[in-house]
């Protein structure tokens, strides 16, 4: 019997779904199911009944879950106590956050609530632009960065993709472009675009394609605040460059239309970036694992 088996079983006993357990631990449904069946075979008892593709705890499974919780808690307490007792004092993790995510000074936020770090974790947070996030990691001014950019692979770095998105345009219904089902690069000619900070770096592929085709536009605003950008475009003062979770058809949002590009997809990635040769690799991976497992991006993410 392994500790991981107990964790798989306990989580499944709570959600009664192998797939949800697999999602939590970033493994496959088959791995979780196999682990539970192996546990049943070792104990020579049936922990779950399955009726019409639904799982139910057996009486034996309920009792085993009660005792297994105590065991796992004891193990976690033991490892936690020893970690605190013998851990060497270390420099705090230095984390750079892309300004596209947080709209206030970072000091206004409680790092425990936002980033999911334990109360004992020392975390120094710096809010900077997209390009500075990357440079801080490359120059070792930060241990890791959470950023949104077009690069899914970065030299000398590990890059964990949290979410893939695509560029689209948010256009007022009175704008002639709003009648189109999709946007061509040439449609940007002479337009007033509302873009987030660091747009030259963040939208490098889009700008490169515009340059190749001789398309020139004016970036009148550099706005990260989503509500302010919507207010500007709702007055038909410009077009907002925005992000969608998947490349899809044009959508209506009140008096606005969100329209994808026609001939090219411009993916952008929410990602965590850190140097693969960092001296704090263990601490970084522990932070990343908890951030991802607890789905922290979804708590403060902006589309």
């Amino acid at each position: 019997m392994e500790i991981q088996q107990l964790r798989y079983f306990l989580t499944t006993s709570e959600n009664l779904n192998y797939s949800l357990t697999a999602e939590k631990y970033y493994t496959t449904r088959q791995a979780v199911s196999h682990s539970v069946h192996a546990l049943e075979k070792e104990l020579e008892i049936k922990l779950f009944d399955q009726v019409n593709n639904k799982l139910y705890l057996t009486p034996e499974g309920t009792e085993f879950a009660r005792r297994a919780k105590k065991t796992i808690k004891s193990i976690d307490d033991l490892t936690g106590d020893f970690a605190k007792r013998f851990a060497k004092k270390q420099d705090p993790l230095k984390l750079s956050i892309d300004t596209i995510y947080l709209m206030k000074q970072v000091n206004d936020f409680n790092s425990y609530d936002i980033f999911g770090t334990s109360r004992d974790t020392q975390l120094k947070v710096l809010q900077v632009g997209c390009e500075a996030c990357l440079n801080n990691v490359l120059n070792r001014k930060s241990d890791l960065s959470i950023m949104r950019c077009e690069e899914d692979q970065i030299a000398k770095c590990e890059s964990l993709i949290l979410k893939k998105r695509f560029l689209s345009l948010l256009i007022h219904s009175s704008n002639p472009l709003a009648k189109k089902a999709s946007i061509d690069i040439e449609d940007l000619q002479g337009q007033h675009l509302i873009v987030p900070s660091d747009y030259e770096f963040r939208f490098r592929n889009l700008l490169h394609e515009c340059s190749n085709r001789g398309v020139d536009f004016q970036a009148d605003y550099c706005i990260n605040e989503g509500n302010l950008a919507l207010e500007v475009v709702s007055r038909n003062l410009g077009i907002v460059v925005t992000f969608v979770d998947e490349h899809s058809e044009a959508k209506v949002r009140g008096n606005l239309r969100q329209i994808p590009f026609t001939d090219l997809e411009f993916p952008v990635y929410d990602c965590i970036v850190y140097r693969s040769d960092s001296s704090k690799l263990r601490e970084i991976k522990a932070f990343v694992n908890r951030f991802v497992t607890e789905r922290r991006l979804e708590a403060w993410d902006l589309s």
Side-chain angles (χ1 to χ4, degrees):
M1 184 183 305
E2 298 179 356
I3 295 175
Q4 192 61 46
Q5 280 183 291
L6 292 181
R7 295 192 190 277
Y8 286 167
F9 164 72
L10 281 176
T11 300
T12 306
S13 73
E14 294 169 356
N15 60 37
L16 299 177
N17 189 303
Y18 288 138
S19 296
L20 290 180
T21 299
E23 185 176 333
K24 177 178 179 179
Y25 291 102
Y26 289 85
T27 186
T28 64
R29 181 189 185 283
Q30 290 77 10
V32 174
S33 174
H34 177 78
S35 176
V36 171
H37 291 326
L39 193 58
E40 289 179 322
K41 185 175 180 180
E42 180 178 349
L43 297 173
E44 297 183 348
I45 60 173
K46 195 171 181 61
L47 299 172
F48 294 101
D49 282 326
Q50 187 165 346
V51 181
N52 295 329
N53 293 324
K54 292 185 178 180
L55 289 179
Y56 299 89
L57 272 173
T58 65
E60 295 84 359
T62 300
E63 173 61 19
F64 186 71
R66 184 184 68 82
R67 298 179 66 176
K69 284 182 182 179
K70 294 181 179 180
T71 300
I72 290 297
K73 185 178 185 305
S74 296
I75 292 172
D76 289 342
D77 289 345
L78 176 64
T79 55
D81 289 344
F82 268 78
K84 293 177 184 178
R85 182 176 178 183
F86 296 106
K88 297 179 181 178
K89 187 174 181 179
Q90 296 178 336
D91 293 333
L93 278 180
K94 299 180 182 67
L95 171 65
S96 288
I97 296 288
D98 192 337
T99 51
I100 203 167
Y101 298 118
L102 304 181
M103 298 300 106
K104 297 181 181 179
Q105 293 298 320
V106 172
N107 290 337
D108 291 341
F109 292 84
N110 182 310
S111 64
Y112 178 85
D113 294 332
I114 293 178
F115 304 110
T117 57
S118 68
R119 296 285 182 185
D120 299 315
T121 299
Q122 297 182 40
L123 187 64
K124 184 177 180 180
V125 182
L126 179 65
Q127 185 179 10
V128 294
C130 176
E131 187 171 12
C133 277
L134 178 57
N135 288 335
N136 282 352
V137 170
L138 293 175
N139 298 329
R140 303 185 189 275
K141 293 181 179 180
S142 292
D143 298 303
L144 69 164
S145 290
I146 300 176
M147 55 191 287
R148 180 179 292 177
C149 68
E150 293 181 324
E151 306 297 330
D152 60 343
Q153 294 184 348
I154 299 170
K156 299 181 181 178
C157 292
E158 297 286 341
S159 183
L160 175 65
I161 305 302
L162 302 172
K163 202 164 192 177
K164 182 180 180 180
R165 305 173 188 275
F166 297 94
L167 296 184
S168 64
L169 298 181
L170 197 60
I171 303 174
H172 193 273
S173 57
S174 64
N175 189 310
L177 291 181
K179 298 178 181 179
K180 302 195 67 171
S182 57
I183 297 294
D184 297 317
I185 293 293
E186 287 74 14
D187 292 328
L188 299 182
Q189 179 66 41
Q191 294 292 331
H192 297 260
L193 297 190
I194 301 169
V195 294
S197 62
D198 277 6
Y199 73 94
E200 298 96 337
F201 177 80
R202 199 186 303 278
F203 302 147
R204 188 161 49 191
N205 292 338
L206 173 62
L207 296 179
H208 180 71
E209 190 63 30
C210 287
S211 177
N212 284 345
R213 301 193 190 188
V215 174
D216 187 27
F217 60 84
Q218 178 67 43
D220 280 350
Y221 304 88
C222 287
I223 300 176
N224 282 346
E225 176 57 58
N227 290 332
L228 182 56
L230 288 176
E231 177 67 19
V232 173
V233 75
S234 67
R235 297 182 182 182
N236 198 21
L237 298 177
I239 297 173
V240 169
V241 180
T242 186
F243 308 91
V244 291
D245 290 348
E246 56 186 32
H247 204 63
S248 56
E249 297 179 352
K251 298 178 181 178
V252 177
R253 299 175 60 176
N255 63 343
L256 307 177
R257 293 197 72 205
Q258 189 168 26
I259 307 177
F261 285 92
T262 301
D263 51 351
L264 291 173
E265 293 183 344
F266 295 100
V268 290
Y269 304 93
D270 292 307
C271 55
I272 300 180
V273 177
Y274 55 91
R275 288 189 65 106
S276 53
D277 60 352
S278 172
S279 61
K280 298 180 182 177
L281 204 55
R282 180 177 179 181
E283 293 87 344
I284 290 171
K285 288 187 175 181
F287 170 85
V288 170
N289 181 65
R290 184 166 182 180
F291 186 91
V292 172
T293 300
E294 296 185 1
R295 301 176 180 273
R296 288 281 163 171
L297 181 69
E298 297 176 9
W300 47 270
D301 175 37
L302 299 176
S303 297

